[in-house]
Amino acid sequence: MPNLDAFKQQGDVIWSIANLLRGPYRPPQYRRVMIPLTVLRRLDCVLESTKDAVVAEHKRLKSAAKHDEATIEKMINRKFKLTFHNTSGFTFQSLLGDPDKLAANLSKYIAGFSSRARKIIEKFKFDEEIEKLDEANRLFEVVKEIAAVDLHPDRIPNIAMGYIFEDLVRRFNEQANEEAGDHFTPREVIKLIVNLLFTPDDFVYTKGKVIKIYDPACGTGGMLSESEKLIKDPETGLNPDAHLELFGQEYNPESYAICGSDLMIKGEDVKNIVFGDTLGTGKPKEGFHDGDGHPGERFHYMLANPPFGVEWKPEKDHVTGEHEKFGFKGRFGPGLPRINDGALLFLLHMISKMEPSPSDGGEGSRIGIVFNGSPLFTGDAGSGESNIRRWIIENDMLEAIVGLPDQLFYNTGISTYVWIVSNRKSKKRRGKIQLINAVDFAWKMTKSLGNKRKKIGDGTEKSPDHIAAITKLYDTFRHDIRATLAEIRTNIDTERDQQKPRSVSKIFNNQDFGFLKITVERPLRLNFAVTPERIARVRQTTAFAGIAISRKRKNKKAIESEELAGEEAQAAILEVLENMAHGRAASPKPPKSSASDDNGALGEHALPKLIKNRDTFAAQLDAAFDAAGIKLPGKLRDALLSPGTLGERDPDADACTDKKGNPEPDPELRDTENVPFPDNIALPLPLDYESKKNKGKVDTAPLLALVRDHCEVYLKKEVLPYRPDAWIDHDKIKVGYEIPFNRHFYEYEPPRPLEAIEADIKTLETEILDLLKEVSA
């Protein structure tokens, strides 16, 4: 690896030049000027040797008028073996020769770059800064100072320049830490992900191999740069002879410009870095790629720190349309997460870009992605999030999850997690998922940067090499590894017990994260009575009110007539109920064998005040209306026999039954239970994923054949001892997946003894009294 300290002087000089901006700019704004100027100065130095010849060739081809501008650019690049060029005729030195026209000439200089480079540079919106610097009388001084910095490739090789530029970007972004978290991932986090992704993988060591690396939310390109560094570094790289192709997509203009510039100043082609929204909105703009910027491409390695906790409402129509139209043939087959967090959509997008697995004759892929805690457990069984987890786990793609310390990022202090996803798992990892608890692998920073108060130790600034330790835990792949804080070496909260072992690695079967969500029903039990209070509730029902509502639309007389008839029917119904409330009502018709008067008229009998069997009450209700010669509408009859009108819930009443004699479930007593999978159940499960096309029509029979008995055993053991009348509605079974990371590593710590707490309180009371005496003395 080139010694960065040997070239650090140039970076420090650029950093110090920023002080000239004090006044017109605040320190968090310095990067708007210094980063694009550094890029321009490097490109100026790179093109120095071919500049005059390129300008002359461009004039010759233009005057010949045989080719369009795009063809001319290709011809010049091919002839001079360049990936970009500048035809303005200006250099940084010549710009300084005319101070009065510096602003206009600098804009012309930028406009003179070949199209691909120009599109990247223009995303800095540096023209706005040129005008501001000119008005503030700072432009000449800043350009003069930056022009004096020698960034020529003969002095600073491409890889060293990449390190310098990366360091400058990091320093300026940290200075603007209130904004940095939106597009800047701490370098030690990137290094950890890169190490987890590459170090244990045999594929990366293949000599002369073409390796494609992709970041769909590449920001300033830190993950791509670190990947390149780990693999290609001439001295320490895993495979310096490998041929890397870097791909990325970014929708933030400044971040895109920084990423593209980083590649340009290292002499690499920038054609594979795309400006646009990876998810897509369906509303394309000029110069902006809407959706997948690399259609048809597949990648060996993918890394990302996508925005999490961010709505994907702008992309909703486009993403939902793709999900419904293409299903698993598109990017979002398993399902969609809730609208307030689209992070999982990026993972689905990345999985869609995987090379075919070795079992399918391909080379396979590996993914490293940063999430917050939401993708681990948000979403109930059958939800989009749960189905995404299910699809990943049942297809044996989730390799490991590493829980990171909190307070690592600049704009948030929340806990984050690295997921390692692969379709080329090593033999020992197949069917397994490793959880690594690295929350204590943290080092307190001497100076906070926004919400970033900790870092993962990387062996610098007297910190331990936590990155190597976590990578070793991952590579070792052992269950129930424990370590003390003293062994971990952390300076966070040193008052904790340094010798108590803590679990840092656990290994689970894929099935351990799945569960069956069963619906447990209990019977509806009602008592019935006809009282003034309950009749008043009948009046409030929709079924009763609907009797007096006309179904006519235009004929006013017909409407009035129908409403009048309905009101009369309501009155008649209420009269029957009032008679029942006074204790007299017609008896139900006796069986044919029973005695009755010659004309079949019903007798009358006194009603009991409370009836605890619905069938008995229903018979009496029907008899009362039959005797009155009134037809009771079916909807109203159902309402009268339901809770909330003439019926009230009563745990001592008989269970209500349907026409087949089966108990009718009470929705208020309905409960759900999450039942772990049966041991050794094969994955993937024989259950389709619900979508708009098959909503409510997913066949659960094959799944039930495997799990029905298991669920009944669970009911008998866990539910029936407490609710003996309960049963399972197997038709409502759902499958869920969640990864309760914290629960797996939770270890109970008993509270301090009461005596010790009491002693502390007494000590504090004494100290307070002593202080009060001093104040009052």
Side-chain angles (χ1 to χ4, degrees), residues 490-710:
T490 175
N491 63 352
I492 308 295
D493 192 6
T494 54
E495 293 185 0
R496 288 189 299 168
D497 185 350
Q498 301 293 304
Q499 302 304 321
K500 180 182 178 181
R502 288 163 168 78
S503 180
V504 293
S505 174
K506 291 187 176 183
I507 296 169
F508 301 87
N509 294 321
N510 289 347
Q511 291 88 339
D512 294 337
F513 298 104
F515 61 90
L516 303 164
K517 184 178 180 180
I518 62 172
T519 299
V520 178
E521 303 281 15
R522 292 180 61 203
L524 178 65
R525 299 177 185 273
L526 301 174
N527 67 46
F528 294 89
V530 185
T531 65
E533 294 79 14
R534 298 195 187 191
I535 292 174
R537 296 203 298 251
V538 172
R539 290 173 177 268
Q540 304 301 316
T541 64
T542 302
F544 182 80
I547 295 172
I549 297 175
S550 174
R551 302 298 186 271
K552 307 295 184 184
R553 289 292 178 265
K554 295 182 179 180
N555 191 320
K556 188 174 181 180
K557 288 185 178 181
I559 293 173
E560 291 176 352
S561 175
E562 197 171 71
E563 289 178 346
L564 181 61
E567 290 171 358
E568 291 174 352
Q570 285 179 326
I573 291 169
L574 291 175
E575 184 179 356
V576 173
L577 294 178
E578 292 288 349
N579 288 334
M580 295 178 71
H582 285 87
R584 301 295 296 175
S587 300
K589 287 183 179 180
K592 288 184 178 180
S593 59
S594 300
S596 63
D597 35 14
D598 294 338
N599 59 7
L602 292 174
E604 292 185 344
H605 74 290
L607 289 174
K609 289 184 177 180
L610 205 63
I611 299 174
K612 295 197 175 188
N613 183 286
R614 188 170 67 179
D615 291 340
T616 299
F617 179 76
Q620 293 179 352
L621 184 70
D622 292 340
F625 277 88
D626 286 346
I630 296 173
K631 181 175 176 58
L632 183 61
K635 288 185 178 180
L636 181 58
R637 183 181 186 276
D638 291 342
L640 297 181
L641 296 175
S642 300
T645 53
L646 300 182
E648 289 185 354
R649 285 181 169 82
D650 183 347
D652 296 324
D654 295 340
C656 299
T657 57
D658 59 20
K659 294 179 180 179
K660 296 181 180 180
N662 298 317
E664 180 181 323
D666 185 346
E668 288 194 4
L669 297 180
R670 182 174 293 141
D671 199 5
T672 58
E673 296 277 339
N674 291 344
V675 180
F677 281 173
D679 292 338
N680 301 318
I681 189 170
L683 299 181
L685 298 175
L687 182 70
D688 199 2
Y689 290 80
E690 190 171 76
S691 65
K692 187 177 181 180
K693 294 179 181 179
N694 66 355
K695 192 170 182 64
K697 300 177 182 178
V698 175
D699 183 11
T700 60
L703 174 67
L704 286 174
L706 296 176
V707 302
R708 181 187 289 268
D709 291 344
H710 174 71

